[in-house]
Amino acid sequence: MKTIAVLTSGGDAPGMNAAIRAVVRTGCENGARVLGIRRGYLGLMHGDMFEMNLRSVSDIIHRGGTMLYSARCPEFATEEGMQKAIEICKANEIEGIVVIGGDGSFRGARDLSMRGINCVGIPGTIDNDIGCCDYTIGYDTCLNTIMDMIDRIRDTSESHDRCTVVEVMGRRAGYLALNAGIAIGATSILIPELPFDIEKDIIERMRRTQKTGKEHFIIVVAEGVTEKLEAQGIHGVSSLAKYIEHNLGVESRATVLGHVQRGGSPSAKDRVVASQMGSRAAHLLLDGIGNRVVAMQKEQIFDFDIFEALNMTKSIDLNLYNIAMEISI
Ligand code: ADP
Ligand code: F6P
């Protein structure tokens, strides 16, 4: 009997549970022993795992977070940590591991694969920032959460003729900010991938919009632009709100949406994609194939060599940004 395992690693994302469910059910239905590893690579290094069956994953498809818990574990990235993990795999007869997480987690999966433990990665992160994939599990749910939250902010912003600066997640990527910005009609959108100038891209745009009769504004800022804001003398979104109020005389507020963005019941899209990806990953391992990353491109599920996947890049859709700038005025 084959033994495969599954873990979730890095920042959690809605839909991870649906992926775990698909891995476990696919494994069990095809005669494998399936182990659930708690808290990602941390749990792997310490042998924190349990045998799962068809019923272990009942009633989780609609839940946010991850029933296996997640962790960031710098020790695992060292040779010592890696050896500990390999010993545990040998002791538990683990032949393959499905790793659900972001590109950091995939680097760990690559390193384990290089040392003889078959790993298959599934992209799970709200940031949608994995080069080989058009889509990562959790992104759709997160985007809709942000949209819902900002719709609420807009109600009060409009009632008071205010400007609200909203910071959304995305340390290195602006997919959430750009798409949410379009979905809620933000006057300006700041993302890490594109240069910006506060005067030109915020103050002048707001002034122009004011002249057409608009009196309330939403500015969406990705978490990852903090350093670029600092370089322009702005220390965070509260400071940006004050700057806007001072320069335009529009009463302004700042909201950092924070971790509310990472929770909640996964959308239908996240549940379906997670189920497809979990199934593909488990079948690969059952066929003895490892060192792969499952990916979605143009709505189809593929799998790539991890090394190649980690070298792939994707870029922000400039056309989408230009559309936003043309119509959100
Ligand atoms: P994500 O998977 O969401 O990108 P992290 O970057 O925090 O999240 O990575 C999750 C975990 O993956 C880390 O805590 C570490 O255990 C492992 N990891 C990250 N980078 C590497 C690396 N270069 N080599 C080996 N393991 C890594
Ligand atoms: O990678 C997902 C993400 O939510 C990023 O958007 C964010 O920058 C980061 O994780 C925050 O992580 P944490 O608060 O868990 O350290």
Side-chain angles (χ1 to χ4, degrees):
M1 192 187 220
K2 259 190 191 304
T3 299
I4 63 169
V6 54
L7 60 80
T8 47
S9 167
D12 65 342
M16 280 184 164
N17 277 326
I20 295 168
R21 172 178 175 272
V23 171
V24 173
R25 294 253 166 102
T26 306
C28 292
E29 280 296 274
N30 288 279
R33 176 173 164 251
V34 184
L35 300 176
I37 300 170
R38 294 187 190 89
R39 296 182 180 82
Y41 294 127
L42 182 69
L44 178 62
M45 280 183 353
H46 293 97
D48 185 6
M49 57 186 74
F50 61 104
E51 189 162 338
M52 300 181 85
N53 60 40
L54 293 174
R55 295 278 70 79
S56 323
V57 288
S58 290
D59 301 319
I60 63 164
I61 195 164
H62 62 298
R63 293 208 191 132
T66 158
M67 70 164 289
L68 290 177
Y69 305 94
S70 192
R72 294 200 171 91
C73 175
E75 193 194 342
F76 171 75
T78 65
E79 189 53 46
E80 240 187 341
M82 199 70 55
Q83 287 311 325
K84 269 194 203 172
I86 288 166
E87 287 311 312
I88 294 288
C89 288
K90 285 186 182 147
N92 291 279
E93 296 171 350
I94 295 173
E95 289 159 79
I97 307 177
V98 176
V99 173
I100 308 169
D103 55 358
S105 304
F106 291 174
R107 287 193 180 86
R110 171 202 62 198
D111 293 352
L112 275 180
S113 295
M114 277 165 58
R115 289 164 178 79
I117 309 293
N118 269 346
C119 288
V120 177
I122 292 182
T125 163
I126 58 165
D127 292 344
N128 199 23
D129 62 345
I130 297 186
C132 66
C133 315
D134 291 347
Y135 191 79
T136 61
I137 296 169
Y139 175 66
D140 183 62
T141 305
C142 179
L143 195 53
N144 280 292
T145 302
I146 295 174
M147 187 179 71
D148 183 41
M149 294 295 135
I150 303 185
D151 283 348
R152 288 160 196 250
I153 290 171
R154 176 196 282 268
D155 289 345
T156 168
S157 205
E158 183 179 357
S159 303
H160 288 265
D161 293 329
R162 281 178 178 160
C163 169
T164 307
V165 181
V166 185
E167 181 186 298
V168 303
M169 276 188 168
R171 205 156 21 206
R172 292 180 305 260
Y175 298 98
L176 286 170
L178 175 56
N179 286 274
I182 291 197
I184 60 87
T187 302
S188 300
I189 303 167
L190 306 185
I191 55 175
E193 293 88 344
L194 296 176
F196 61 84
D197 174 72
I198 304 281
E199 288 305 317
K200 180 172 141 294
D201 296 312
I202 297 184
I203 304 297
E204 273 177 33
R205 280 183 68 80
M206 283 181 64
R207 197 168 279 135
R208 233 185 95 203
T209 310
Q210 260 180 329
K211 284 188 188 145
T212 67
K214 191 169 167 83
E215 286 173 303
H216 61 94
F217 308 86
I218 304 284
I219 310 295
V220 174
V221 175
E223 183 190 3
V225 303
T226 318
E227 273 177 30
K228 285 187 187 161
L229 279 175
E230 294 270 342
Q232 295 183 45
I234 305 285
H235 311 291
V237 284
S238 293
S239 159
L240 181 55
K242 286 201 181 90
Y243 184 88
I244 291 169
E245 186 164 310
H246 181 76
N247 281 274
L248 288 169
V250 178
E251 195 181 3
S252 300
R253 295 284 187 272
T255 299
V256 177
L257 286 185
H259 289 80
V260 70
Q261 295 164 93
R262 268 210 333 231
S265 179
S267 66
K269 172 159 183 166
D270 278 324
R271 297 181 198 191
V272 174
V273 175
S275 302
Q276 288 174 286
M277 289 185 169
S279 161
R280 171 68 72 99
H283 276 295
L284 284 167
L285 288 183
L286 294 172
D287 290 343
I289 301 168
N291 197 36
R292 310 292 290 176
V293 168
V294 177
M296 178 173 240
Q297 287 188 353
K298 296 192 169 61
E299 306 298 314
Q300 298 294 313
I301 303 292
F302 294 91
D303 57 271
F304 298 109
D305 177 270
I306 293 190
F307 285 86
E308 284 173 22
L310 283 171
N311 283 326
M312 291 184 191
T313 53
K314 67 175 181 182
S315 48
I316 207 91
D317 185 348
L318 206 53
N319 191 36
L320 198 57
Y321 180 79
N322 290 335
I323 290 172
M325 291 306 100
E326 194 165 70
I327 64 177
S328 295
I329 201 81

Short mmCIF file of all heavy atoms in Angstrom, two decimals, residues 62-107:
data_model
loop_
_atom_site.label_atom_id
_atom_site.label_comp_id
_atom_site.label_asym_id
_atom_site.label_seq_id
_atom_site.Cartn_x
_atom_site.Cartn_y
_atom_site.Cartn_z
N HIS A 62 -16.57 23.81 2.83
CA HIS A 62 -17.10 25.18 2.90
C HIS A 62 -16.35 26.04 3.93
O HIS A 62 -16.72 27.19 4.15
CB HIS A 62 -18.59 25.14 3.23
CG HIS A 62 -18.86 24.50 4.57
ND1 HIS A 62 -18.54 23.19 4.85
CD2 HIS A 62 -19.40 25.01 5.69
CE1 HIS A 62 -18.88 22.92 6.09
NE2 HIS A 62 -19.40 24.01 6.63
N ARG A 63 -15.34 25.49 4.56
CA ARG A 63 -14.68 26.25 5.63
C ARG A 63 -13.40 26.92 5.17
O ARG A 63 -12.60 26.33 4.45
CB ARG A 63 -14.30 25.30 6.78
CG ARG A 63 -15.50 24.76 7.47
CD ARG A 63 -15.17 24.44 8.92
NE ARG A 63 -16.28 23.67 9.46
CZ ARG A 63 -16.15 22.56 10.15
NH1 ARG A 63 -14.94 22.10 10.42
NH2 ARG A 63 -17.20 21.93 10.60
N GLY A 64 -13.22 28.16 5.66
CA GLY A 64 -11.97 28.88 5.40
C GLY A 64 -10.85 28.30 6.26
O GLY A 64 -11.07 27.34 7.01
N GLY A 65 -9.66 28.87 6.17
CA GLY A 65 -8.52 28.38 6.96
C GLY A 65 -8.08 27.02 6.47
O GLY A 65 -8.36 26.63 5.33
N THR A 66 -7.37 26.29 7.32
CA THR A 66 -6.94 24.94 6.96
C THR A 66 -7.04 24.01 8.16
O THR A 66 -6.50 24.34 9.23
CB THR A 66 -5.51 24.90 6.38
OG1 THR A 66 -4.98 23.57 6.53
CG2 THR A 66 -4.56 25.89 7.01
N MET A 67 -7.75 22.90 8.01
CA MET A 67 -7.91 21.96 9.12
C MET A 67 -6.57 21.35 9.54
O MET A 67 -6.46 20.81 10.63
CB MET A 67 -8.88 20.83 8.74
CG MET A 67 -8.32 19.88 7.71
SD MET A 67 -9.21 18.30 7.57
CE MET A 67 -8.79 17.48 9.09
N LEU A 68 -5.56 21.47 8.66
CA LEU A 68 -4.24 20.92 9.01
C LEU A 68 -3.36 21.98 9.68
O LEU A 68 -2.21 21.71 10.01
CB LEU A 68 -3.55 20.35 7.76
CG LEU A 68 -4.17 19.08 7.18
CD1 LEU A 68 -3.46 18.66 5.90
CD2 LEU A 68 -4.14 17.93 8.20
N TYR A 69 -3.87 23.18 9.82
CA TYR A 69 -3.09 24.31 10.34
C TYR A 69 -1.91 24.61 9.41
O TYR A 69 -1.53 23.76 8.60
CB TYR A 69 -2.58 24.08 11.77
CG TYR A 69 -3.69 23.73 12.74
CD1 TYR A 69 -4.00 22.40 13.02
CD2 TYR A 69 -4.43 24.73 13.35
CE1 TYR A 69 -5.03 22.07 13.89
CE2 TYR A 69 -5.46 24.41 14.22
CZ TYR A 69 -5.75 23.08 14.49
OH TYR A 69 -6.77 22.76 15.34
N SER A 70 -1.39 25.82 9.55
CA SER A 70 -0.27 26.19 8.69
C SER A 70 0.82 26.83 9.53
O SER A 70 0.57 27.21 10.68
CB SER A 70 -0.73 27.16 7.59
OG SER A 70 0.28 27.29 6.62
N ALA A 71 2.00 26.96 8.97
CA ALA A 71 3.10 27.60 9.71
C ALA A 71 4.14 28.09 8.74
O ALA A 71 4.19 27.65 7.59
CB ALA A 71 3.73 26.60 10.68
N ARG A 72 4.96 29.01 9.23
CA ARG A 72 6.18 29.37 8.52
C ARG A 72 7.31 28.80 9.37
O ARG A 72 7.31 28.96 10.59
CB ARG A 72 6.28 30.88 8.36
CG ARG A 72 5.16 31.42 7.45
CD ARG A 72 5.51 32.79 6.90
NE ARG A 72 4.55 33.20 5.88
CZ ARG A 72 3.43 33.90 6.14
NH1 ARG A 72 3.15 34.26 7.37
NH2 ARG A 72 2.62 34.22 5.15
N CYS A 73 8.25 28.14 8.75
CA CYS A 73 9.24 27.40 9.52
C CYS A 73 10.63 27.58 8.90
O CYS A 73 11.05 26.79 8.05
CB CYS A 73 8.83 25.92 9.53
SG CYS A 73 10.03 24.85 10.31
N PRO A 74 11.35 28.64 9.28
CA PRO A 74 12.67 28.92 8.69
C PRO A 74 13.65 27.76 8.88
O PRO A 74 14.50 27.51 8.01
CB PRO A 74 13.15 30.16 9.43
CG PRO A 74 11.94 30.75 10.08
CD PRO A 74 10.95 29.65 10.28
N GLU A 75 13.52 27.00 9.99
CA GLU A 75 14.47 25.91 10.26
C GLU A 75 14.43 24.85 9.16
O GLU A 75 15.45 24.23 8.84
CB GLU A 75 14.13 25.27 11.62
CG GLU A 75 15.25 24.35 12.10
CD GLU A 75 14.81 23.45 13.26
OE1 GLU A 75 13.79 23.74 13.92
OE2 GLU A 75 15.51 22.43 13.47
N PHE A 76 13.25 24.65 8.58
CA PHE A 76 13.12 23.62 7.55
C PHE A 76 14.00 23.93 6.34
O PHE A 76 14.46 23.02 5.64
CB PHE A 76 11.65 23.49 7.13
CG PHE A 76 11.44 22.61 5.94
CD1 PHE A 76 11.53 21.23 6.04
CD2 PHE A 76 11.18 23.16 4.69
CE1 PHE A 76 11.36 20.42 4.94
CE2 PHE A 76 11.01 22.36 3.57
CZ PHE A 76 11.10 20.98 3.70
N ALA A 77 14.23 25.22 6.09
CA ALA A 77 15.02 25.61 4.91
C ALA A 77 16.52 25.35 5.10
O ALA A 77 17.30 25.54 4.18
CB ALA A 77 14.76 27.07 4.57
N THR A 78 16.93 24.91 6.29
CA THR A 78 18.35 24.59 6.52
C THR A 78 18.59 23.10 6.20
O THR A 78 17.65 22.31 6.21
CB THR A 78 18.74 24.84 7.99
OG1 THR A 78 18.00 23.92 8.82
CG2 THR A 78 18.42 26.28 8.42
N GLU A 79 19.84 22.72 5.99
CA GLU A 79 20.16 21.32 5.66
C GLU A 79 19.76 20.41 6.83
O GLU A 79 19.21 19.32 6.63
CB GLU A 79 21.64 21.19 5.32
CG GLU A 79 22.04 19.83 4.75
CD GLU A 79 21.18 19.37 3.54
OE1 GLU A 79 20.94 20.18 2.64
OE2 GLU A 79 20.75 18.20 3.53
N GLU A 80 20.00 20.90 8.04
CA GLU A 80 19.64 20.12 9.23
C GLU A 80 18.14 19.84 9.28
O GLU A 80 17.70 18.72 9.52
CB GLU A 80 20.03 20.92 10.48
CG GLU A 80 21.03 20.24 11.35
CD GLU A 80 21.23 21.03 12.64
OE1 GLU A 80 20.89 22.23 12.69
OE2 GLU A 80 21.75 20.42 13.58
N GLY A 81 17.38 20.92 9.05
CA GLY A 81 15.92 20.81 9.06
C GLY A 81 15.43 19.84 8.00
O GLY A 81 14.55 19.00 8.24
N MET A 82 16.03 19.95 6.84
CA MET A 82 15.65 19.10 5.70
C MET A 82 15.92 17.63 6.05
O MET A 82 15.10 16.76 5.78
CB MET A 82 16.49 19.55 4.50
CG MET A 82 16.01 19.15 3.15
SD MET A 82 14.52 19.97 2.60
CE MET A 82 14.90 21.69 2.74
N GLN A 83 17.07 17.37 6.68
CA GLN A 83 17.41 15.98 7.04
C GLN A 83 16.44 15.42 8.07
O GLN A 83 16.02 14.27 7.98
CB GLN A 83 18.86 15.89 7.57
CG GLN A 83 19.92 16.03 6.48
CD GLN A 83 19.68 15.12 5.26
OE1 GLN A 83 19.19 14.00 5.37
NE2 GLN A 83 19.97 15.64 4.06
N LYS A 84 16.04 16.28 9.03
CA LYS A 84 15.05 15.85 10.03
C LYS A 84 13.78 15.41 9.32
O LYS A 84 13.19 14.38 9.63
CB LYS A 84 14.70 17.04 10.95
CG LYS A 84 15.52 17.17 12.19
CD LYS A 84 14.79 18.16 13.12
CE LYS A 84 15.72 18.80 14.09
NZ LYS A 84 15.10 19.89 14.86
N ALA A 85 13.34 16.23 8.34
CA ALA A 85 12.09 15.95 7.61
C ALA A 85 12.23 14.63 6.85
O ALA A 85 11.29 13.82 6.84
CB ALA A 85 11.78 17.10 6.66
N ILE A 86 13.39 14.41 6.25
CA ILE A 86 13.58 13.18 5.46
C ILE A 86 13.54 11.94 6.37
O ILE A 86 12.93 10.92 6.04
CB ILE A 86 14.88 13.28 4.64
CG1 ILE A 86 14.65 14.28 3.51
CG2 ILE A 86 15.30 11.93 4.08
CD1 ILE A 86 15.88 14.75 2.82
N GLU A 87 14.17 12.06 7.53
CA GLU A 87 14.13 10.94 8.50
C GLU A 87 12.69 10.60 8.86
O GLU A 87 12.30 9.43 8.92
CB GLU A 87 14.89 11.32 9.80
CG GLU A 87 16.41 11.34 9.63
CD GLU A 87 16.95 10.08 8.95
OE1 GLU A 87 16.55 8.99 9.37
OE2 GLU A 87 17.72 10.20 7.98
N ILE A 88 11.89 11.65 9.10
CA ILE A 88 10.48 11.42 9.47
C ILE A 88 9.74 10.74 8.32
O ILE A 88 8.94 9.82 8.53
CB ILE A 88 9.79 12.78 9.82
CG1 ILE A 88 10.40 13.37 11.09
CG2 ILE A 88 8.28 12.61 9.93
CD1 ILE A 88 10.02 12.66 12.38
N CYS A 89 10.02 11.19 7.10
CA CYS A 89 9.35 10.58 5.93
C CYS A 89 9.70 9.09 5.85
O CYS A 89 8.81 8.25 5.65
CB CYS A 89 9.78 11.26 4.63
SG CYS A 89 9.09 12.90 4.45
N LYS A 90 10.99 8.78 6.06
CA LYS A 90 11.42 7.37 5.99
C LYS A 90 10.74 6.56 7.09
O LYS A 90 10.21 5.47 6.84
CB LYS A 90 12.94 7.28 6.10
CG LYS A 90 13.63 7.72 4.81
CD LYS A 90 15.13 7.48 4.88
CE LYS A 90 15.80 7.98 3.61
NZ LYS A 90 17.15 8.49 3.86
N ALA A 91 10.77 7.10 8.31
CA ALA A 91 10.20 6.37 9.45
C ALA A 91 8.71 6.09 9.24
O ALA A 91 8.19 5.09 9.72
CB ALA A 91 10.41 7.17 10.73
N ASN A 92 8.02 6.99 8.53
CA ASN A 92 6.57 6.82 8.32
C ASN A 92 6.22 6.27 6.94
O ASN A 92 5.06 6.25 6.56
CB ASN A 92 5.86 8.16 8.57
CG ASN A 92 5.89 8.56 10.03
OD1 ASN A 92 5.09 8.09 10.82
ND2 ASN A 92 6.86 9.38 10.38
N GLU A 93 7.26 5.84 6.22
CA GLU A 93 7.10 5.25 4.88
C GLU A 93 6.35 6.17 3.91
O GLU A 93 5.58 5.73 3.06
CB GLU A 93 6.38 3.90 4.98
CG GLU A 93 7.21 2.88 5.76
CD GLU A 93 6.44 1.61 6.06
OE1 GLU A 93 5.23 1.57 5.84
OE2 GLU A 93 7.10 0.65 6.50
N ILE A 94 6.58 7.48 4.08
CA ILE A 94 5.91 8.45 3.19
C ILE A 94 6.63 8.46 1.85
O ILE A 94 7.83 8.73 1.76
CB ILE A 94 5.94 9.87 3.82
CG1 ILE A 94 5.11 9.88 5.10
CG2 ILE A 94 5.42 10.92 2.83
CD1 ILE A 94 5.18 11.17 5.90
N GLU A 95 5.87 8.17 0.78
CA GLU A 95 6.49 8.13 -0.55
C GLU A 95 6.29 9.43 -1.31
O GLU A 95 6.98 9.68 -2.31
CB GLU A 95 5.89 6.97 -1.35
CG GLU A 95 6.35 5.63 -0.83
CD GLU A 95 5.40 4.52 -1.25
OE1 GLU A 95 5.49 4.09 -2.41
OE2 GLU A 95 4.56 4.11 -0.43
N GLY A 96 5.32 10.21 -0.90
CA GLY A 96 5.09 11.46 -1.61
C GLY A 96 4.29 12.41 -0.74
O GLY A 96 3.51 11.98 0.12
N ILE A 97 4.50 13.72 -0.96
CA ILE A 97 3.77 14.73 -0.16
C ILE A 97 3.14 15.76 -1.09
O ILE A 97 3.79 16.27 -2.00
CB ILE A 97 4.74 15.48 0.81
CG1 ILE A 97 5.52 14.50 1.67
CG2 ILE A 97 3.96 16.46 1.68
CD1 ILE A 97 6.53 15.16 2.60
N VAL A 98 1.87 16.06 -0.84
CA VAL A 98 1.23 17.18 -1.52
C VAL A 98 1.44 18.41 -0.63
O VAL A 98 1.05 18.40 0.55
CB VAL A 98 -0.28 16.94 -1.75
CG1 VAL A 98 -0.92 18.18 -2.38
CG2 VAL A 98 -0.51 15.71 -2.63
N VAL A 99 2.06 19.43 -1.20
CA VAL A 99 2.36 20.66 -0.45
C VAL A 99 1.45 21.77 -0.98
O VAL A 99 1.55 22.18 -2.14
CB VAL A 99 3.83 21.07 -0.65
CG1 VAL A 99 4.11 22.44 -0.03
CG2 VAL A 99 4.76 20.02 -0.05
N ILE A 100 0.54 22.24 -0.13
CA ILE A 100 -0.38 23.31 -0.55
C ILE A 100 0.13 24.62 0.05
O ILE A 100 0.20 24.75 1.28
CB ILE A 100 -1.82 23.01 -0.06
CG1 ILE A 100 -2.25 21.59 -0.47
CG2 ILE A 100 -2.80 24.06 -0.59
CD1 ILE A 100 -3.55 21.10 0.19
N GLY A 101 0.52 25.56 -0.80
CA GLY A 101 1.08 26.81 -0.28
C GLY A 101 1.53 27.73 -1.40
O GLY A 101 1.13 27.55 -2.56
N GLY A 102 2.39 28.67 -1.07
CA GLY A 102 2.89 29.62 -2.06
C GLY A 102 4.27 29.23 -2.57
O GLY A 102 4.72 28.09 -2.37
N ASP A 103 4.96 30.18 -3.21
CA ASP A 103 6.23 29.80 -3.84
C ASP A 103 7.33 29.46 -2.84
O ASP A 103 8.22 28.66 -3.14
CB ASP A 103 6.68 30.83 -4.88
CG ASP A 103 6.77 32.24 -4.32
OD1 ASP A 103 6.44 32.43 -3.13
OD2 ASP A 103 7.15 33.15 -5.07
N GLY A 104 7.26 30.03 -1.63
CA GLY A 104 8.21 29.63 -0.59
C GLY A 104 8.04 28.15 -0.29
O GLY A 104 9.02 27.39 -0.24
N SER A 105 6.81 27.75 -0.12
CA SER A 105 6.52 26.34 0.17
C SER A 105 6.97 25.45 -0.99
O SER A 105 7.44 24.33 -0.77
CB SER A 105 5.02 26.14 0.41
OG SER A 105 4.59 27.00 1.44
N PHE A 106 6.85 25.95 -2.21
CA PHE A 106 7.29 25.17 -3.38
C PHE A 106 8.82 24.99 -3.37
O PHE A 106 9.33 23.98 -3.81
CB PHE A 106 6.88 25.83 -4.69
CG PHE A 106 5.38 25.81 -4.95
CD1 PHE A 106 4.85 26.49 -6.04
CD2 PHE A 106 4.52 25.12 -4.12
CE1 PHE A 106 3.49 26.48 -6.28
CE2 PHE A 106 3.15 25.09 -4.35
CZ PHE A 106 2.63 25.79 -5.44
N ARG A 107 9.53 26.00 -2.85
CA ARG A 107 11.00 25.86 -2.77
C ARG A 107 11.34 24.73 -1.81
O ARG A 107 12.24 23.93 -2.05
CB ARG A 107 11.65 27.17 -2.31
CG ARG A 107 11.62 28.19 -3.40
CD ARG A 107 12.49 29.41 -3.18
NE ARG A 107 12.30 30.25 -4.35
CZ ARG A 107 11.31 31.15 -4.48
NH1 ARG A 107 10.49 31.36 -3.47
NH2 ARG A 107 11.16 31.83 -5.60
#
